[in-house]
């Protein structure tokens, strides 16, 4: 039965990967932005407004989406995302104005992303123990990161062949149908399900502690750890989002890339972004999640310090690889850290609240990048801001530790329902 449940867990994880693969077209917005600038006369700042709204709605709808997932299960939430995707893309194609795309791509499709993303990672994590949380988070969210590998060239081809309006229609049909299909395979484990235990824990060999699994959101937001995690996530996301929405333009303007190579840069970012999610998640399972976050911020400080000097194709591709890997790592680590600190039972809602930090980064990152480009003609000030925020992130990560007041020690025959670990020696505060 345990082996069968593990297989079911992997089915859920890869279905979540597929759903995120559909929703991850958001990271290909650079293709739409370039078309709006060149064919419709939008400014760089204007092209970032629908993207900014979509990022904000994505993050805000993670909260009710996570709560609905905890209460109703993932299927109805993903189906809602499918309907919103269909309507959002259809109406975006009909109304190609700043207001129109802000409402229908930004608000409706952004809400679809929030509902869909809120279900996939928390649902998959519930099938696995603490020793696999990072890897599973990385696998599921890597679908969102790698989506640009196919979505960017596909969007570019469709725009060239059929125009922007028809492109919205076609992509909306594809993604909404895909979400309907994947929703059939995403399910929470049974109420009495206990995830597989870490293989290194043998009964009676050692003592350990495990965070109590029932933090309600009201309890979580009263802890200093929540605010530290929120700020770290915001700063890390903002640094990456400064360039994601305009990466194609950066390639053309900063390194004189041809349009074809600029598209390849977007695809390359997606590959490295996805690899970062899986690799950093796996590393955090084996080592320490907090120190993995410290390492990622250090990588960002170093790379953004030199990013303005990446004016050749080779250096820009290399710098993009590092930034994308680090940014992807952030997206796999914070679901796992939230689960480690505050438990698995209310993970959908709790992680939704933490994820609003990504929304703040999504609002200010693209907007800052667009405004800086319009005012100064370059993105250099954006890179300096990314260095400063990443440096603060290092300090926060070094000083933030798991909540200690709700640590639990229970009898040696007990198994923690949150992580599947054996817990030894009765005593301590149960919270």
């Amino acid at each position: 039965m345990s082996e069968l449940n593990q297989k079911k867990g992997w089915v859920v994880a890869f279905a979540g990967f597929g759903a995120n693969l559909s929703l991850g077209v958001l990271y290909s917005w650079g293709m739409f932005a370039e078309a709006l600038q060149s064919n419709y006369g939008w400014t760089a700042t204007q092209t970032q407004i629908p993207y900014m709204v979509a990022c904000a709605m994505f993050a805000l709808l993670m909260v009710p989406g996570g709560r609905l997932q905890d209460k109703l299960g993932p299927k109805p939430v993903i189906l809602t995302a499918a309907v919103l995707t269909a309507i959002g893309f259809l109406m975006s194609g009909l109304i190609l104005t700043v207001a129109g795309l802000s409402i229908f791509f930004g608000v409706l499709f952004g809400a679809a992303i929030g509902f869909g993303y809120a279900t996939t990672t928390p649902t998959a994590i519930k099938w696995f123990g603490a020793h696999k949380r990072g890897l599973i988070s990385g696998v599921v969210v890597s679908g969102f990161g790698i989506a640009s590998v196919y979505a960017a060239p596909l969007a570019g081809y469709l725009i060239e062949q059929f125009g922007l309006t028809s492109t919205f229609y076609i992509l909306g049909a594809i993604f909404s149908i895909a979400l309907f299909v994947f929703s059939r395979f995403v399910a929470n484990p049974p109420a009495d399900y206990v995830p597989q235990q870490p293989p290194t824990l043998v009964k009676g060999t050692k003592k350990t502690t495990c965070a109590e699994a029932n933090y309600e959101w009201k309890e979580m937001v009263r802890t200093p750890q929540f605010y530290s995690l929120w700020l770290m996530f915001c700063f890390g996301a903002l640094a990456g989002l400064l360039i994601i929405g305009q990466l194609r333009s950066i390639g053309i303007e900063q390194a004189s890339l041809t349009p074809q190579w600029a598209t390849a840069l977007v695809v390359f970012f997606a590959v490295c972004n996805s690899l970062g999610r899986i690799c950093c998640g796996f590393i955090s399972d084996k080592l320490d999640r907090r120190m993995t976050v410290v390492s990622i911020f250090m990588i960002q400080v170093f790379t953004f310090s030199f990013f303005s000097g990446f004016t050749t194709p080779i250096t820009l591709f290399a710098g993009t690889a590092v930034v994308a890997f680090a940014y992807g790592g952030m997206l796999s680590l914070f679901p796992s850290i939230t689960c480690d600190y505050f438990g698995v039972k209310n993970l959908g809602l709790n992680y939704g609240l933490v994820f609003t930090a990504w929304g703040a980064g999504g609002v200010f990152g693209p907007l800052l990048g667009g405004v800086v480009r319009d005012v100064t003609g370059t993105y250099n000030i954006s890179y300096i801001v990314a260095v400063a925020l990443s440096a603060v992130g290092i300090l926060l990560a070094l000083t933030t530790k798991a909540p200690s007041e709700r640590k639990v020690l229970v009898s040696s025959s007990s198994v923690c329902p949150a992580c599947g670990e054996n817990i030894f020696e009765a005593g301590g505060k149960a919270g």
Side-chain angles (χ1 to χ4, degrees), residues 46-237:
Q46 286 177 323
T47 65
Q48 295 308 298
I49 293 175
Y51 179 72
M52 175 187 71
V53 174
C55 290
M57 292 302 297
F58 174 10
L60 290 175
L61 269 294
M62 282 281 291
V63 177
R67 187 169 186 82
L68 288 172
Q69 190 278 140
D70 289 337
K71 300 293 183 182
L72 304 178
K75 281 185 175 63
V77 186
I78 295 184
L79 290 174
T80 301
V83 173
L84 290 172
T85 297
I87 298 173
F89 271 77
L90 171 63
M91 297 305 297
S92 292
L94 286 173
I95 308 177
L96 289 174
T97 64
V98 175
L101 288 183
S102 296
I103 293 170
F104 297 111
F105 184 89
V107 175
L108 289 189
F109 182 59
I113 301 172
F115 278 121
Y117 200 87
T119 66
T120 52
T121 305
T123 302
I125 285 178
K126 292 177 181 179
W127 288 89
F128 297 88
H131 61 302
K132 289 186 177 179
R133 279 181 191 153
L135 174 61
I136 297 304
S137 296
V139 168
V140 176
V141 301
S142 68
F144 202 92
I146 205 170
S148 293
V149 169
Y150 79 90
L154 176 60
Y157 173 79
L158 292 174
I159 290 170
E160 182 179 346
Q161 295 297 317
F162 305 106
L164 196 53
T165 293
S166 295
T167 297
F168 276 113
Y169 297 160
I170 295 169
L171 293 180
I174 292 173
F175 297 142
S176 58
I177 292 171
L179 289 169
F180 272 110
V181 172
F182 288 121
S183 69
R184 296 177 56 84
F185 302 97
V186 180
N188 283 324
D192 58 350
Y193 175 73
V194 176
Q196 185 182 39
Q197 301 176 43
T200 56
L201 289 181
V202 180
K203 183 177 178 180
T205 58
K206 67 173 185 177
K207 292 190 293 185
T208 186
T209 62
C210 181
E212 203 275 329
N214 295 317
Y215 270 83
E216 299 287 346
W217 72 269
K218 293 180 180 179
E219 296 176 295
M220 180 183 71
V221 299
R222 288 198 292 264
T223 67
Q225 286 85 357
F226 168 75
Y227 295 98
S228 292
L229 291 182
W230 196 95
L231 288 173
M232 281 188 280
F233 200 2
C234 179
F235 294 164

Side-chain angles (χ1 to χ4, degrees), residues 232-301:
M232 281 188 280
F233 200 2
C234 179
F235 294 164
L238 193 150
L241 290 165
L242 276 171
I243 68 170
I244 289 175
Q246 300 175 98
L247 185 57
R248 193 169 188 273
S249 298
I250 290 173
I252 293 172
E253 296 177 19
Q254 185 169 306
S256 302
L257 297 182
T258 65
Q260 292 77 17
W261 277 106
T263 300
L265 183 66
V266 175
V267 173
F268 184 65
F269 183 101
V271 173
C272 297
N273 179 3
S274 185
L275 287 174
R277 296 175 189 227
I278 297 174
C279 292
C280 290
F282 177 79
I283 291 169
S284 74
D285 284 336
K286 302 301 180 182
L287 301 176
D288 177 82
R289 277 191 242 285
R290 190 166 58 96
M291 294 311 298
T292 305
V293 173
V294 171
S295 301
I296 288 174
F297 275 124
M298 292 177 67
I299 289 170
Q300 286 186 330
V301 167

Side-chain angles (χ1 to χ4, degrees), residues 275-366:
L275 287 174
R277 296 175 189 227
I278 297 174
C279 292
C280 290
F282 177 79
I283 291 169
S284 74
D285 284 336
K286 302 301 180 182
L287 301 176
D288 177 82
R289 277 191 242 285
R290 190 166 58 96
M291 294 311 298
T292 305
V293 173
V294 171
S295 301
I296 288 174
F297 275 124
M298 292 177 67
I299 289 170
Q300 286 186 330
V301 167
F302 179 81
T303 307
F304 277 114
S305 295
F306 298 97
F307 211 88
S308 62
F310 299 154
T311 55
T312 66
I314 292 177
T315 56
L316 184 59
F317 267 82
T320 298
V322 177
V323 169
F325 188 92
Y327 172 78
M330 291 282 179
L331 271 295
S332 70
L333 290 176
F334 281 91
S336 304
I337 295 174
T338 303
C339 191
D340 291 344
Y341 282 16
F342 306 113
V344 72
K345 181 179 179 181
N346 304 302
L347 181 60
L349 176 57
N350 287 346
Y351 181 57
L353 288 168
V354 173
F355 195 81
T356 59
W358 185 94
V363 169
F364 293 108

